[in-house]
Amino acid sequence: LNVFVPHIISHFTSFYFSSTSTITWYRDRVISQSPHSSLNRFCWKLHTSTQNINMAEGYDPKRSRVSDSTLADFLRAPLTGDLQEVPGIGKAAEEKLRTGNDYDEEPITNTYQLIGKFLMLKGPDEDGIKVESIEHVEKFWHWLKNRGISSYRSGIVRSIAEKVDHMMPGVYEKDVYGDDSDEE
């Protein structure tokens, strides 16, 4: 337990806490992997202490302003490479991706590179632990934010994640977010 708890602490501190469901999912995953009651208490305390974090920030497919028909058209169509073919990417977002910034100087000039960046974020974390679907889309959402993309982030993430999932099933697990028809 003394070895396991520091690992969990470091994993929690590097994880993007962007929604209550993400925290709850992660807490429940840790608890199910270890029956130690002290670890359960630790996870619960961490869960309750993170309730004050800004829960509105982060990926939520229900906040996507991309219509279902626009998303369906994008998913059916072959990729052309034009960044603006991605629902949610307009001229301003394209320019921000093309120019880079202090956070990431590498320019993204086409859809293939954007998908490549999405897939790079799926790689193992610093500790060699597999990046699960929720953490993966969170990382991509925050990467877009740090690149200066201020509008349609959730729509862009959802569009890219679902497109990649069509090409490589299992990359994006949209079922973990519940039914899209649920209203909050």
Side-chain angles (χ1 to χ4, degrees):
L1 183 61
N2 290 338
V3 174
F4 191 65
V5 169
H7 171 73
I8 295 302
I9 291 170
S10 69
H11 213 76
F12 268 112
T13 56
S14 66
F15 188 75
Y16 293 114
F17 291 113
S18 61
S19 70
T20 304
S21 61
T22 301
I23 296 167
T24 304
W25 173 85
Y26 204 79
R27 182 203 70 219
D28 292 345
R29 179 173 169 226
V30 169
I31 290 172
S32 69
Q33 290 178 353
S34 176
H36 302 294
S37 62
S38 60
L39 180 59
N40 288 348
R41 284 192 303 276
F42 163 76
C43 290
W44 181 252
K45 285 179 184 176
L46 184 59
H47 168 70
T48 56
S49 69
T50 58
Q51 295 301 312
N52 295 327
I53 294 175
N54 181 2
M55 296 301 171
E57 183 166 295
Y59 174 67
D60 182 351
K62 293 176 184 167
R63 284 196 320 239
S64 171
R65 295 183 303 195
V66 173
S67 72
D68 289 341
S69 63
T70 300
L71 179 62
D73 291 345
F74 174 66
L75 296 177
R76 280 192 301 270
L79 292 173
T80 65
D82 179 12
L83 280 169
Q84 291 189 41
E85 75 183 315
V86 178
I89 296 182
K91 289 181 182 181
E94 180 179 17
E95 184 61 29
K96 290 175 184 177
L97 290 170
R98 286 183 177 277
T99 57
N101 61 17
D102 292 339
Y103 173 74
D104 186 352
E105 295 177 4
E106 192 69 34
I108 301 295
T109 60
N110 60 53
T111 308
Y112 307 110
Q113 291 173 330
L114 186 61
I115 289 173
K117 186 61 175 182
F118 176 76
L119 290 171
M120 285 178 63
L121 295 171
K122 181 71 172 171
D125 66 7
E126 306 83 43
D127 299 326
I129 297 173
K130 179 182 172 188
V131 174
E132 298 294 338
S133 181
I134 290 176
E135 183 179 4
H136 181 209
V137 294
E138 288 294 323
K139 288 169 74 173
F140 190 56
W141 189 94
H142 283 278
W143 179 82
L144 288 169
K145 178 183 176 187
N146 290 327
R147 284 298 292 255
I149 308 298
S150 56
S151 299
Y152 292 94
R153 269 192 307 265
S154 286
I156 296 167
V157 171
R158 182 177 178 200
S159 298
I160 293 294
E162 289 199 24
K163 184 73 165 184
V164 171
D165 193 60
H166 275 63
M167 295 184 282
M168 298 177 222
V171 170
Y172 174 59
E173 299 172 31
K174 65 181 173 182
D175 296 342
V176 300
Y177 295 99
D179 186 3
D180 282 343
S181 63
D182 291 345
E183 296 296 324
E184 290 185 21

mmCIF file of all heavy atoms in Angstrom, residues 111-152:
data_model
loop_
_atom_site.group_PDB
_atom_site.id
_atom_site.type_symbol
_atom_site.label_atom_id
_atom_site.label_comp_id
_atom_site.label_asym_id
_atom_site.label_seq_id
_atom_site.Cartn_x
_atom_site.Cartn_y
_atom_site.Cartn_z
ATOM 1 N N THR A 111 -5.562 18.168 -41.729
ATOM 2 C CA THR A 111 -6.353 17.275 -40.877
ATOM 3 C C THR A 111 -5.549 16.049 -40.458
ATOM 4 O O THR A 111 -5.702 15.561 -39.339
ATOM 5 C CB THR A 111 -7.624 16.827 -41.629
ATOM 6 O OG1 THR A 111 -8.296 17.985 -42.109
ATOM 7 C CG2 THR A 111 -8.557 16.062 -40.723
ATOM 8 N N TYR A 112 -4.697 15.565 -41.320
ATOM 9 C CA TYR A 112 -3.906 14.376 -41.000
ATOM 10 C C TYR A 112 -2.975 14.648 -39.817
ATOM 11 O O TYR A 112 -2.809 13.803 -38.942
ATOM 12 C CB TYR A 112 -3.105 13.916 -42.224
ATOM 13 C CG TYR A 112 -3.973 13.733 -43.448
ATOM 14 C CD1 TYR A 112 -3.875 14.605 -44.523
ATOM 15 C CD2 TYR A 112 -4.924 12.712 -43.514
ATOM 16 C CE1 TYR A 112 -4.680 14.457 -45.642
ATOM 17 C CE2 TYR A 112 -5.739 12.558 -44.633
ATOM 18 C CZ TYR A 112 -5.606 13.435 -45.691
ATOM 19 O OH TYR A 112 -6.411 13.288 -46.779
ATOM 20 N N GLN A 113 -2.361 15.826 -39.795
ATOM 21 C CA GLN A 113 -1.497 16.186 -38.675
ATOM 22 C C GLN A 113 -2.303 16.358 -37.389
ATOM 23 O O GLN A 113 -1.841 15.997 -36.313
ATOM 24 C CB GLN A 113 -0.730 17.473 -38.982
ATOM 25 C CG GLN A 113 0.300 17.305 -40.070
ATOM 26 C CD GLN A 113 0.932 18.622 -40.466
ATOM 27 O OE1 GLN A 113 0.308 19.681 -40.386
ATOM 28 N NE2 GLN A 113 2.183 18.557 -40.909
ATOM 29 N N LEU A 114 -3.509 16.903 -37.501
ATOM 30 C CA LEU A 114 -4.366 17.064 -36.325
ATOM 31 C C LEU A 114 -4.749 15.701 -35.759
ATOM 32 O O LEU A 114 -4.693 15.486 -34.546
ATOM 33 C CB LEU A 114 -5.615 17.869 -36.682
ATOM 34 C CG LEU A 114 -6.535 18.226 -35.520
ATOM 35 C CD1 LEU A 114 -5.811 19.101 -34.491
ATOM 36 C CD2 LEU A 114 -7.783 18.938 -36.034
ATOM 37 N N ILE A 115 -5.090 14.775 -36.623
ATOM 38 C CA ILE A 115 -5.393 13.407 -36.179
ATOM 39 C C ILE A 115 -4.137 12.773 -35.595
ATOM 40 O O ILE A 115 -4.204 12.070 -34.586
ATOM 41 C CB ILE A 115 -5.979 12.573 -37.335
ATOM 42 C CG1 ILE A 115 -7.399 13.064 -37.639
ATOM 43 C CG2 ILE A 115 -5.969 11.085 -37.010
ATOM 44 C CD1 ILE A 115 -8.025 12.449 -38.872
ATOM 45 N N GLY A 116 -2.992 13.033 -36.196
ATOM 46 C CA GLY A 116 -1.731 12.526 -35.663
ATOM 47 C C GLY A 116 -1.465 13.036 -34.259
ATOM 48 O O GLY A 116 -1.031 12.285 -33.381
ATOM 49 N N LYS A 117 -1.744 14.311 -34.019
ATOM 50 C CA LYS A 117 -1.574 14.875 -32.678
ATOM 51 C C LYS A 117 -2.533 14.209 -31.711
ATOM 52 O O LYS A 117 -2.151 13.866 -30.584
ATOM 53 C CB LYS A 117 -1.798 16.397 -32.700
ATOM 54 C CG LYS A 117 -1.484 17.042 -31.384
ATOM 55 C CD LYS A 117 -0.026 16.825 -31.021
ATOM 56 C CE LYS A 117 0.375 17.550 -29.780
ATOM 57 N NZ LYS A 117 1.801 17.375 -29.478
ATOM 58 N N PHE A 118 -3.773 14.004 -32.128
ATOM 59 C CA PHE A 118 -4.755 13.313 -31.304
ATOM 60 C C PHE A 118 -4.236 11.923 -30.922
ATOM 61 O O PHE A 118 -4.297 11.527 -29.758
ATOM 62 C CB PHE A 118 -6.089 13.209 -32.063
ATOM 63 C CG PHE A 118 -7.146 12.423 -31.350
ATOM 64 C CD1 PHE A 118 -7.835 12.978 -30.281
ATOM 65 C CD2 PHE A 118 -7.470 11.140 -31.749
ATOM 66 C CE1 PHE A 118 -8.827 12.262 -29.618
ATOM 67 C CE2 PHE A 118 -8.453 10.415 -31.102
ATOM 68 C CZ PHE A 118 -9.134 10.981 -30.028
ATOM 69 N N LEU A 119 -3.699 11.208 -31.880
ATOM 70 C CA LEU A 119 -3.194 9.855 -31.614
ATOM 71 C C LEU A 119 -1.932 9.877 -30.750
ATOM 72 O O LEU A 119 -1.724 8.978 -29.930
ATOM 73 C CB LEU A 119 -2.936 9.112 -32.922
ATOM 74 C CG LEU A 119 -4.197 8.726 -33.695
ATOM 75 C CD1 LEU A 119 -3.835 8.192 -35.078
ATOM 76 C CD2 LEU A 119 -5.021 7.716 -32.915
ATOM 77 N N MET A 120 -1.091 10.893 -30.906
ATOM 78 C CA MET A 120 0.100 11.002 -30.061
ATOM 79 C C MET A 120 -0.281 11.132 -28.592
ATOM 80 O O MET A 120 0.405 10.598 -27.712
ATOM 81 C CB MET A 120 0.950 12.203 -30.470
ATOM 82 C CG MET A 120 1.724 11.988 -31.740
ATOM 83 S SD MET A 120 2.663 13.450 -32.217
ATOM 84 C CE MET A 120 3.778 13.622 -30.848
ATOM 85 N N LEU A 121 -1.368 11.818 -28.318
ATOM 86 C CA LEU A 121 -1.809 11.997 -26.938
ATOM 87 C C LEU A 121 -2.384 10.711 -26.340
ATOM 88 O O LEU A 121 -2.591 10.626 -25.138
ATOM 89 C CB LEU A 121 -2.830 13.137 -26.857
ATOM 90 C CG LEU A 121 -2.274 14.507 -27.221
ATOM 91 C CD1 LEU A 121 -3.392 15.535 -27.338
ATOM 92 C CD2 LEU A 121 -1.224 14.962 -26.220
ATOM 93 N N LYS A 122 -2.612 9.713 -27.161
ATOM 94 C CA LYS A 122 -3.114 8.416 -26.695
ATOM 95 C C LYS A 122 -1.975 7.566 -26.136
ATOM 96 O O LYS A 122 -2.216 6.608 -25.419
ATOM 97 C CB LYS A 122 -3.809 7.683 -27.852
ATOM 98 C CG LYS A 122 -4.393 6.334 -27.528
ATOM 99 C CD LYS A 122 -5.606 6.436 -26.654
ATOM 100 C CE LYS A 122 -6.272 5.082 -26.507
ATOM 101 N NZ LYS A 122 -7.318 5.094 -25.497
ATOM 102 N N GLY A 123 -0.755 7.933 -26.458
ATOM 103 C CA GLY A 123 0.395 7.151 -26.023
ATOM 104 C C GLY A 123 0.476 7.019 -24.514
ATOM 105 O O GLY A 123 -0.226 7.713 -23.786
ATOM 106 N N PRO A 124 1.317 6.131 -24.029
ATOM 107 C CA PRO A 124 1.421 5.955 -22.574
ATOM 108 C C PRO A 124 1.892 7.238 -21.900
ATOM 109 O O PRO A 124 2.605 8.040 -22.492
ATOM 110 C CB PRO A 124 2.444 4.837 -22.409
ATOM 111 C CG PRO A 124 3.131 4.705 -23.709
ATOM 112 C CD PRO A 124 2.255 5.308 -24.755
ATOM 113 N N ASP A 125 1.458 7.409 -20.640
ATOM 114 C CA ASP A 125 1.873 8.589 -19.882
ATOM 115 C C ASP A 125 3.314 8.436 -19.414
ATOM 116 O O ASP A 125 4.005 7.478 -19.784
ATOM 117 C CB ASP A 125 0.911 8.864 -18.724
ATOM 118 C CG ASP A 125 0.937 7.769 -17.662
ATOM 119 O OD1 ASP A 125 1.787 6.862 -17.740
ATOM 120 O OD2 ASP A 125 0.112 7.837 -16.743
ATOM 121 N N GLU A 126 3.771 9.355 -18.579
ATOM 122 C CA GLU A 126 5.162 9.354 -18.113
ATOM 123 C C GLU A 126 5.541 8.069 -17.388
ATOM 124 O O GLU A 126 6.695 7.661 -17.388
ATOM 125 C CB GLU A 126 5.430 10.527 -17.161
ATOM 126 C CG GLU A 126 5.084 11.886 -17.677
ATOM 127 C CD GLU A 126 3.608 12.230 -17.509
ATOM 128 O OE1 GLU A 126 3.003 11.963 -16.458
ATOM 129 O OE2 GLU A 126 3.040 12.758 -18.474
ATOM 130 N N ASP A 127 4.567 7.443 -16.741
ATOM 131 C CA ASP A 127 4.841 6.218 -15.982
ATOM 132 C C ASP A 127 4.635 4.968 -16.812
ATOM 133 O O ASP A 127 4.677 3.865 -16.278
ATOM 134 C CB ASP A 127 3.939 6.164 -14.734
ATOM 135 C CG ASP A 127 4.187 7.334 -13.802
ATOM 136 O OD1 ASP A 127 5.354 7.773 -13.712
ATOM 137 O OD2 ASP A 127 3.233 7.819 -13.170
ATOM 138 N N GLY A 128 4.369 5.116 -18.106
ATOM 139 C CA GLY A 128 4.168 3.968 -18.972
ATOM 140 C C GLY A 128 2.790 3.343 -18.839
ATOM 141 O O GLY A 128 2.552 2.252 -19.338
ATOM 142 N N ILE A 129 1.877 4.045 -18.190
ATOM 143 C CA ILE A 129 0.529 3.532 -18.005
ATOM 144 C C ILE A 129 -0.323 3.927 -19.202
ATOM 145 O O ILE A 129 -0.247 5.055 -19.685
ATOM 146 C CB ILE A 129 -0.086 4.064 -16.692
ATOM 147 C CG1 ILE A 129 0.739 3.551 -15.511
ATOM 148 C CG2 ILE A 129 -1.549 3.668 -16.560
ATOM 149 C CD1 ILE A 129 0.348 4.144 -14.183
ATOM 150 N N LYS A 130 -1.140 2.994 -19.678
ATOM 151 C CA LYS A 130 -2.002 3.236 -20.828
ATOM 152 C C LYS A 130 -2.936 4.417 -20.560
ATOM 153 O O LYS A 130 -3.511 4.542 -19.497
ATOM 154 C CB LYS A 130 -2.837 1.982 -21.107
ATOM 155 C CG LYS A 130 -3.782 2.122 -22.253
ATOM 156 C CD LYS A 130 -4.609 0.866 -22.425
ATOM 157 C CE LYS A 130 -5.691 1.092 -23.462
ATOM 158 N NZ LYS A 130 -6.621 -0.022 -23.520
ATOM 159 N N VAL A 131 -3.067 5.276 -21.542
ATOM 160 C CA VAL A 131 -3.968 6.415 -21.451
ATOM 161 C C VAL A 131 -5.355 5.936 -21.877
ATOM 162 O O VAL A 131 -5.552 5.513 -23.011
ATOM 163 C CB VAL A 131 -3.488 7.575 -22.340
ATOM 164 C CG1 VAL A 131 -4.501 8.701 -22.359
ATOM 165 C CG2 VAL A 131 -2.135 8.072 -21.879
ATOM 166 N N GLU A 132 -6.299 5.988 -20.961
ATOM 167 C CA GLU A 132 -7.661 5.551 -21.239
ATOM 168 C C GLU A 132 -8.411 6.619 -22.023
ATOM 169 O O GLU A 132 -7.974 7.762 -22.128
ATOM 170 C CB GLU A 132 -8.390 5.236 -19.927
ATOM 171 C CG GLU A 132 -7.763 4.113 -19.119
ATOM 172 C CD GLU A 132 -7.839 2.751 -19.781
ATOM 173 O OE1 GLU A 132 -8.705 2.540 -20.650
ATOM 174 O OE2 GLU A 132 -7.030 1.880 -19.441
ATOM 175 N N SER A 133 -9.554 6.256 -22.542
ATOM 176 C CA SER A 133 -10.331 7.112 -23.426
ATOM 177 C C SER A 133 -10.668 8.472 -22.807
ATOM 178 O O SER A 133 -10.511 9.507 -23.458
ATOM 179 C CB SER A 133 -11.628 6.409 -23.839
ATOM 180 O OG SER A 133 -12.378 7.218 -24.699
ATOM 181 N N ILE A 134 -11.116 8.488 -21.571
ATOM 182 C CA ILE A 134 -11.501 9.759 -20.945
ATOM 183 C C ILE A 134 -10.294 10.682 -20.814
ATOM 184 O O ILE A 134 -10.351 11.857 -21.176
ATOM 185 C CB ILE A 134 -12.162 9.518 -19.568
ATOM 186 C CG1 ILE A 134 -13.531 8.889 -19.769
ATOM 187 C CG2 ILE A 134 -12.259 10.806 -18.773
ATOM 188 C CD1 ILE A 134 -14.240 8.515 -18.491
ATOM 189 N N GLU A 135 -9.197 10.157 -20.324
ATOM 190 C CA GLU A 135 -7.997 10.987 -20.181
ATOM 191 C C GLU A 135 -7.491 11.442 -21.547
ATOM 192 O O GLU A 135 -7.033 12.577 -21.704
ATOM 193 C CB GLU A 135 -6.908 10.211 -19.440
ATOM 194 C CG GLU A 135 -5.677 11.037 -19.188
ATOM 195 C CD GLU A 135 -4.592 10.287 -18.429
ATOM 196 O OE1 GLU A 135 -4.750 9.087 -18.142
ATOM 197 O OE2 GLU A 135 -3.575 10.923 -18.121
ATOM 198 N N HIS A 136 -7.605 10.577 -22.546
ATOM 199 C CA HIS A 136 -7.140 10.890 -23.886
ATOM 200 C C HIS A 136 -7.862 12.111 -24.461
ATOM 201 O O HIS A 136 -7.223 13.072 -24.924
ATOM 202 C CB HIS A 136 -7.350 9.672 -24.786
ATOM 203 C CG HIS A 136 -6.894 9.868 -26.188
ATOM 204 N ND1 HIS A 136 -7.464 9.208 -27.234
ATOM 205 C CD2 HIS A 136 -5.944 10.651 -26.731
ATOM 206 C CE1 HIS A 136 -6.878 9.565 -28.357
ATOM 207 N NE2 HIS A 136 -5.948 10.444 -28.075
ATOM 208 N N VAL A 137 -9.194 12.114 -24.415
ATOM 209 C CA VAL A 137 -9.924 13.257 -24.975
ATOM 210 C C VAL A 137 -9.738 14.507 -24.124
ATOM 211 O O VAL A 137 -9.745 15.622 -24.649
ATOM 212 C CB VAL A 137 -11.423 12.938 -25.221
ATOM 213 C CG1 VAL A 137 -11.564 11.893 -26.315
ATOM 214 C CG2 VAL A 137 -12.127 12.523 -23.969
ATOM 215 N N GLU A 138 -9.546 14.326 -22.821
ATOM 216 C CA GLU A 138 -9.239 15.476 -21.958
ATOM 217 C C GLU A 138 -7.911 16.111 -22.381
ATOM 218 O O GLU A 138 -7.796 17.342 -22.459
ATOM 219 C CB GLU A 138 -9.156 15.054 -20.490
ATOM 220 C CG GLU A 138 -10.477 14.717 -19.863
ATOM 221 C CD GLU A 138 -11.404 15.905 -19.756
ATOM 222 O OE1 GLU A 138 -10.933 17.029 -19.487
ATOM 223 O OE2 GLU A 138 -12.605 15.709 -19.949
ATOM 224 N N LYS A 139 -6.923 15.279 -22.627
ATOM 225 C CA LYS A 139 -5.620 15.794 -23.041
ATOM 226 C C LYS A 139 -5.730 16.553 -24.360
ATOM 227 O O LYS A 139 -5.131 17.620 -24.523
ATOM 228 C CB LYS A 139 -4.612 14.644 -23.156
ATOM 229 C CG LYS A 139 -4.195 14.085 -21.813
ATOM 230 C CD LYS A 139 -3.410 12.799 -21.934
ATOM 231 C CE LYS A 139 -2.014 12.997 -22.426
ATOM 232 N NZ LYS A 139 -1.211 11.768 -22.389
ATOM 233 N N PHE A 140 -6.510 16.010 -25.289
ATOM 234 C CA PHE A 140 -6.682 16.686 -26.576
ATOM 235 C C PHE A 140 -7.450 17.992 -26.392
ATOM 236 O O PHE A 140 -7.086 19.010 -26.985
ATOM 237 C CB PHE A 140 -7.404 15.763 -27.572
ATOM 238 C CG PHE A 140 -7.423 16.265 -28.983
ATOM 239 C CD1 PHE A 140 -6.251 16.581 -29.666
ATOM 240 C CD2 PHE A 140 -8.623 16.412 -29.670
ATOM 241 C CE1 PHE A 140 -6.264 17.039 -30.977
ATOM 242 C CE2 PHE A 140 -8.659 16.864 -30.982
ATOM 243 C CZ PHE A 140 -7.481 17.177 -31.631
ATOM 244 N N TRP A 141 -8.478 18.019 -25.577
ATOM 245 C CA TRP A 141 -9.241 19.239 -25.313
ATOM 246 C C TRP A 141 -8.323 20.318 -24.740
ATOM 247 O O TRP A 141 -8.350 21.467 -25.177
ATOM 248 C CB TRP A 141 -10.392 18.929 -24.342
ATOM 249 C CG TRP A 141 -11.374 20.036 -24.154
ATOM 250 C CD1 TRP A 141 -12.542 20.220 -24.822
ATOM 251 C CD2 TRP A 141 -11.280 21.125 -23.211
ATOM 252 N NE1 TRP A 141 -13.174 21.354 -24.355
ATOM 253 C CE2 TRP A 141 -12.427 21.922 -23.375
ATOM 254 C CE3 TRP A 141 -10.352 21.493 -22.253
ATOM 255 C CZ2 TRP A 141 -12.663 23.067 -22.611
ATOM 256 C CZ3 TRP A 141 -10.579 22.635 -21.505
ATOM 257 C CH2 TRP A 141 -11.728 23.403 -21.681
ATOM 258 N N HIS A 142 -7.498 19.936 -23.766
ATOM 259 C CA HIS A 142 -6.585 20.901 -23.147
ATOM 260 C C HIS A 142 -5.482 21.324 -24.113
ATOM 261 O O HIS A 142 -5.032 22.468 -24.077
ATOM 262 C CB HIS A 142 -6.015 20.349 -21.843
ATOM 263 C CG HIS A 142 -6.999 20.410 -20.721
ATOM 264 N ND1 HIS A 142 -7.208 21.547 -19.987
ATOM 265 C CD2 HIS A 142 -7.861 19.484 -20.243
ATOM 266 C CE1 HIS A 142 -8.143 21.324 -19.079
ATOM 267 N NE2 HIS A 142 -8.557 20.085 -19.226
ATOM 268 N N TRP A 143 -5.049 20.420 -24.971
ATOM 269 C CA TRP A 143 -4.053 20.778 -25.983
ATOM 270 C C TRP A 143 -4.640 21.848 -26.902
ATOM 271 O O TRP A 143 -3.971 22.848 -27.200
ATOM 272 C CB TRP A 143 -3.632 19.539 -26.779
ATOM 273 C CG TRP A 143 -2.634 19.850 -27.846
ATOM 274 C CD1 TRP A 143 -1.285 19.986 -27.715
ATOM 275 C CD2 TRP A 143 -2.931 20.105 -29.228
ATOM 276 N NE1 TRP A 143 -0.718 20.308 -28.930
ATOM 277 C CE2 TRP A 143 -1.710 20.381 -29.868
ATOM 278 C CE3 TRP A 143 -4.105 20.110 -29.982
ATOM 279 C CZ2 TRP A 143 -1.627 20.661 -31.231
ATOM 280 C CZ3 TRP A 143 -4.017 20.402 -31.334
ATOM 281 C CH2 TRP A 143 -2.789 20.677 -31.952
ATOM 282 N N LEU A 144 -5.881 21.658 -27.347
ATOM 283 C CA LEU A 144 -6.535 22.669 -28.185
ATOM 284 C C LEU A 144 -6.653 23.995 -27.444
ATOM 285 O O LEU A 144 -6.410 25.061 -28.015
ATOM 286 C CB LEU A 144 -7.927 22.192 -28.622
ATOM 287 C CG LEU A 144 -7.972 21.081 -29.661
ATOM 288 C CD1 LEU A 144 -9.393 20.536 -29.797
ATOM 289 C CD2 LEU A 144 -7.446 21.562 -31.006
ATOM 290 N N LYS A 145 -7.017 23.936 -26.180
ATOM 291 C CA LYS A 145 -7.135 25.157 -25.376
ATOM 292 C C LYS A 145 -5.792 25.877 -25.314
ATOM 293 O O LYS A 145 -5.716 27.093 -25.504
ATOM 294 C CB LYS A 145 -7.613 24.819 -23.963
ATOM 295 C CG LYS A 145 -7.713 26.033 -23.065
ATOM 296 C CD LYS A 145 -8.113 25.655 -21.665
ATOM 297 C CE LYS A 145 -8.106 26.904 -20.786
ATOM 298 N NZ LYS A 145 -8.321 26.578 -19.391
ATOM 299 N N ASN A 146 -4.730 25.127 -25.057
ATOM 300 C CA ASN A 146 -3.397 25.727 -24.958
ATOM 301 C C ASN A 146 -2.887 26.246 -26.298
ATOM 302 O O ASN A 146 -2.011 27.110 -26.332
ATOM 303 C CB ASN A 146 -2.407 24.741 -24.350
ATOM 304 C CG ASN A 146 -2.675 24.509 -22.889
ATOM 305 O OD1 ASN A 146 -3.125 25.400 -22.177
ATOM 306 N ND2 ASN A 146 -2.414 23.304 -22.417
ATOM 307 N N ARG A 147 -3.431 25.748 -27.389
ATOM 308 C CA ARG A 147 -3.087 26.264 -28.714
ATOM 309 C C ARG A 147 -3.879 27.529 -29.040
ATOM 310 O O ARG A 147 -3.709 28.125 -30.090
ATOM 311 C CB ARG A 147 -3.355 25.213 -29.792
ATOM 312 C CG ARG A 147 -2.345 24.100 -29.867
ATOM 313 C CD ARG A 147 -0.947 24.568 -30.208
ATOM 314 N NE ARG A 147 -0.780 25.080 -31.531
ATOM 315 C CZ ARG A 147 -0.185 24.455 -32.525
ATOM 316 N NH1 ARG A 147 0.311 23.252 -32.335
ATOM 317 N NH2 ARG A 147 -0.068 25.019 -33.699
ATOM 318 N N GLY A 148 -4.790 27.923 -28.155
ATOM 319 C CA GLY A 148 -5.549 29.150 -28.357
ATOM 320 C C GLY A 148 -6.915 28.945 -28.979
ATOM 321 O O GLY A 148 -7.594 29.913 -29.309
ATOM 322 N N ILE A 149 -7.325 27.701 -29.149
ATOM 323 C CA ILE A 149 -8.654 27.427 -29.695
ATOM 324 C C ILE A 149 -9.665 27.698 -28.585
ATOM 325 O O ILE A 149 -9.687 27.007 -27.572
ATOM 326 C CB ILE A 149 -8.789 25.972 -30.199
ATOM 327 C CG1 ILE A 149 -7.663 25.610 -31.166
ATOM 328 C CG2 ILE A 149 -10.166 25.728 -30.792
ATOM 329 C CD1 ILE A 149 -7.616 26.425 -32.422
ATOM 330 N N SER A 150 -10.490 28.723 -28.779
ATOM 331 C CA SER A 150 -11.404 29.127 -27.705
ATOM 332 C C SER A 150 -12.860 28.776 -27.990
ATOM 333 O O SER A 150 -13.687 28.836 -27.092
ATOM 334 C CB SER A 150 -11.264 30.623 -27.436
ATOM 335 O OG SER A 150 -11.487 31.345 -28.627
ATOM 336 N N SER A 151 -13.181 28.426 -29.209
ATOM 337 C CA SER A 151 -14.564 28.095 -29.558
ATOM 338 C C SER A 151 -14.634 26.684 -30.121
ATOM 339 O O SER A 151 -13.709 26.228 -30.791
ATOM 340 C CB SER A 151 -15.096 29.062 -30.612
ATOM 341 O OG SER A 151 -15.088 30.375 -30.120
ATOM 342 N N TYR A 152 -15.737 26.025 -29.838
ATOM 343 C CA TYR A 152 -16.037 24.711 -30.414
ATOM 344 C C TYR A 152 -15.040 23.613 -30.038
ATOM 345 O O TYR A 152 -14.910 22.623 -30.752
ATOM 346 C CB TYR A 152 -16.152 24.795 -31.945
ATOM 347 C CG TYR A 152 -17.338 25.570 -32.422
ATOM 348 C CD1 TYR A 152 -17.222 26.926 -32.716
ATOM 349 C CD2 TYR A 152 -18.570 24.968 -32.575
ATOM 350 C CE1 TYR A 152 -18.311 27.658 -33.151
ATOM 351 C CE2 TYR A 152 -19.670 25.686 -33.012
ATOM 352 C CZ TYR A 152 -19.535 27.022 -33.297
ATOM 353 O OH TYR A 152 -20.625 27.735 -33.725
#
